[in-house]
Amino acid sequence: MTRDVQKPVSTKDFLKDVFICSLGAYGGPEAHYGVFTDQLIRKKQYLTEEDLIELIALTQLLPGPSSTQTLVAIGYKMGGPKLALLTMLVWSLPVIVVMILLSFLSELLGVFHLREDGLRYIGPMAVGFIILAAYRIGTKVVKDSFTLGLLIFGAVGTFFIRASWIYPAVLFTGGLLAVARSKEKDIWHRVKLDPPYKYLFFFGFFALGGLLFSAFFDHVLIDLFESFYRYGYLVIGGGQVVIPLMYTELVEIQNYMSSQDFLTGFGLVQGLPGPMFSFSAYAGAMAAKG
C-alpha cells in the first residue's frame, strides 16, 4: 500500500532520504532512477512507481538535468516550493562542493596518475546501474507487443540520431501513437492551469540579461554565467548532449582549459554520487582559474 502523496510528510525525514539517494546515485540519470525507486518508493512509499515513470517522461521533454528535475518535482509534490528548493540543495550541493574543490586540486590528480589509472573502471560500473534501472522500469511499462515496439523505436531512434531534439521527438511521437491506439473513454481531461508567471519572469530576466551582459561586457565570469545558464534552458538529453557542447565552447573555442583537464573532470564526476550536472561546477571553476 503506497503512501497518500497528498499527505504532508516530515521535512527532515524526506530530506534525509534525498541525501541517502545522493550518496548512492552513480552513473547518470538513467541509473539514478533505480536509486529513487529503491529509496523513495520501495522503502518509504512516497509515491507509486507509475507516478515516478510519469515524472520521468515529463522531465525528458524538458531541457536541463532530468533526474534533478524529477527529484525536485517529488519534493514539490510532498511539501510545496520550500521543500522542492531544499530537495535540490540536499541532492546537488555536496557533490558540487566536492567538484569545485577537485578543480583546484587537478594538478595533484596528474601526480598520482588518477587521470588515467584511477578512473577507467568507473564507466563499466555505471553501466551496471543503468542496466538495473532500465530493467526495473521496463518491467513496469513494457506490457505488450505495442509497448515493446515503442521501446525498440525509441532505442533505435536515439542510437542512430545523436541530436538533442531526438529525445522529446521520440517521447512525443510515442505519446501520440499511444493516444491514437487507446480505447479508453474520456481520455482527454480539461485541466485548469495557473502558471507561476513570476518564476517565468525571473527565468527570462536572467536569460536575456546574461545574453546582453555577455555581448557588451568582456569578462570571463559573465561569459561563464551566460554559457552555463544557456546549457540549462536549451539542452535536452542530459549529460550525453551537454558535455560535447561544453567541450566545444570551453576547450576548443574559448580555450578556458585543456582537453586533459576537461576529460579528467568528466571522469571524476562519473566516479562521484549525485547529479551529473555537478560537472559544470568543476568546468566553471577551471575556466575561472584560467
Side-chain angles (χ1 to χ4, degrees):
M1 185 72 178
T2 56
R3 181 194 298 268
D4 181 358
V5 295
Q6 301 300 324
K7 183 179 179 180
V9 299
S10 168
T11 298
K12 181 179 179 181
D13 291 341
F14 181 77
L15 293 178
K16 178 182 176 181
D17 291 322
V18 171
F19 183 67
I20 292 174
C21 287
S22 73
L23 296 179
Y26 294 86
E30 293 80 6
H32 295 173
Y33 299 139
V35 178
F36 297 166
T37 300
D38 280 337
Q39 186 65 30
L40 303 181
I41 296 177
R42 297 181 186 274
K43 294 182 180 179
K44 295 304 179 72
Q45 299 180 339
Y46 288 119
L47 70 167
T48 66
E49 290 193 48
E50 289 74 16
D51 289 335
L52 178 62
I53 291 170
E54 288 185 2
L55 285 175
I56 292 172
L58 175 62
T59 56
Q60 290 292 331
L61 291 168
L62 302 174
S66 55
S67 60
T68 299
Q69 291 174 330
T70 300
L71 193 57
V72 170
I74 296 173
Y76 184 88
K77 195 174 185 67
M78 294 296 103
K82 180 180 178 180
L83 186 57
L85 177 61
L86 292 174
T87 298
M88 184 179 67
L89 293 177
V90 172
W91 163 250
S92 60
L93 196 58
V95 69
I96 287 177
V97 172
V98 171
M99 289 301 294
I100 292 175
L101 293 176
L102 288 175
S103 71
F104 292 98
L105 299 175
S106 59
E107 292 80 5
L108 293 179
L109 300 178
V111 172
F112 292 103
H113 304 290
L114 290 178
R115 290 179 173 177
E116 296 82 8
D117 301 331
L119 304 175
R120 59 182 177 179
Y121 300 109
I122 294 173
M125 292 170 58
V127 171
F129 291 111
I130 293 173
I131 292 174
L132 177 61
Y135 171 76
R136 287 179 173 175
I137 293 177
T139 57
K140 292 293 180 181
V141 298
V142 180
K143 300 178 179 179
D144 51 33
S145 58
F146 175 73
T147 51
L148 178 61
L150 290 179
L151 171 66
I152 296 173
F153 165 71
V156 172
T158 54
F159 180 81
F160 287 102
I161 303 177
R162 302 299 179 91
S164 60
W165 57 265
I166 189 62
Y167 297 96
V170 165
L171 290 171
F172 186 73
T173 303
L176 287 179
L177 292 174
V179 169
R181 184 178 181 272
S182 176
K183 298 180 181 179
E184 180 182 349
K185 295 182 179 180
D186 300 325
I187 193 171
W188 300 104
H189 303 280
R190 185 179 297 275
V191 178
K192 183 179 180 181
L193 298 178
D194 185 18
Y197 291 108
K198 60 180 180 180
Y199 298 121
L200 294 176
F201 170 78
F202 282 112
F203 161 74
F205 174 79
F206 284 111
L208 182 60
L211 290 171
L212 292 176
F213 271 82
S214 179
F216 289 101
F217 298 96
D218 185 16
H219 194 282
V220 62
L221 293 181
I222 295 177
D223 291 339
L224 287 174
F225 173 83
E226 189 279 324
S227 295
F228 284 105
Y229 197 74
R230 174 164 38 86
Y231 300 152
Y233 68 75
L234 283 184
V235 175
I236 298 175
Q240 295 85 352
V241 176
V242 73
I243 294 299
L245 177 61
M246 292 173 63
Y247 183 88
T248 300
E249 288 199 16
L250 301 179
V251 177
E252 296 181 347
I253 297 178
Q254 301 292 348
N255 294 316
Y256 283 142
M257 69 189 76
S258 68
S259 176
Q260 182 62 65
D261 287 333
F262 186 95
L263 296 176
T264 297
F266 184 56
L268 287 170
V269 77
Q270 294 185 79
L272 294 173
M276 286 287 290
F277 78 83
S278 60
F279 174 71
S280 62
Y282 172 92
M286 290 293 295
K289 282 171 36 178

